[in-house]
Amino acid sequence: MEEIKEQEKTQEQETRQQKKYEKYVKEVTPTHNLWLQMLKAFVTGGIICCLGQFILNCAGQMGLEKQDAGSWCSLILVLLSVILTGFGIYPKIVKWGGAGALVPITGFANGVAAPAIEYKAEGQVFGIGCKIFTIAGPVILYGIFASWLLGLGYWIGKMVGVF
């Protein structure tokens, strides 16, 4: 009889602890407004794209060919992203704009520069050298692998006469 009472008491305590835990999780879990997040991402990505278009237009007015202007645009956007990352500004833009700042080429440059800056205290080789591609490495690896597979498929398709 006493064992049953102890088991019931233990179960009640576990139930109370579970409810306390659920309440705690609900309190500390951040709530997100999906529509506001999408609007911020749209605005951030739009500003980055407008900046890129401005660079393209300026390069075109300077007499550069379309392809050269595109190359300069990419280089300048990457440079701006790395500089803003170095000064700690780009992470704030990412925090506010979310995917709008992470998806474009500027987000990739930030992904390469941020670990290098974070681990520079550990030295050139073990800090920057080892950690620089922690975020971008998988993207580069799978990008190269996917392009290799697609190239192989294209080559086989050419041999068979599909393309």
Side-chain angles (χ1 to χ4, degrees), residues 5-151:
K5 287 183 181 181
E6 283 184 38
Q7 285 179 348
E8 288 176 0
K9 193 175 182 180
T10 305
Q11 285 178 346
E12 285 177 27
Q13 287 176 342
E14 288 177 1
T15 305
R16 274 189 255 130
Q17 283 181 331
Q18 182 68 26
K19 286 181 181 180
K20 270 183 166 179
Y21 179 73
E22 288 173 6
K23 183 181 175 186
Y24 170 75
V25 167
K26 195 172 187 178
E27 288 174 2
V28 298
T29 302
T31 57
H32 299 288
N33 183 341
L34 178 63
W35 293 103
L36 181 61
Q37 284 182 321
M38 288 191 302
L39 178 66
K40 287 178 177 181
F42 178 78
V43 168
T44 305
I47 290 171
I48 292 170
C49 290
C50 286
L51 178 62
Q53 188 63 49
F54 175 76
I55 295 168
L56 278 174
N57 291 347
C58 287
Q61 288 178 351
M62 293 174 152
L64 289 175
E65 303 259 339
K66 190 173 183 178
Q67 190 171 2
D68 293 335
S71 297
W72 275 102
C73 176
S74 297
L75 288 171
I76 291 170
L77 286 174
V78 167
L79 176 66
L80 286 174
S81 175
V82 170
I83 289 171
L84 292 175
T85 300
F87 285 115
I89 297 169
Y90 202 85
K92 292 176 185 173
I93 295 170
V94 170
K95 186 174 182 179
W96 189 83
L102 287 175
V103 173
I105 192 171
T106 54
F108 185 75
N110 174 58
V112 173
I117 293 167
E118 183 178 346
Y119 291 102
K120 71 180 177 183
E122 294 180 25
Q124 295 289 320
V125 175
F126 292 114
I128 297 171
C130 291
K131 301 293 185 176
I132 193 166
F133 292 114
T134 54
I135 295 174
V139 175
I140 294 169
L141 172 72
Y142 291 115
I144 290 171
F145 182 68
S147 66
W148 181 82
L149 280 179
L150 290 171

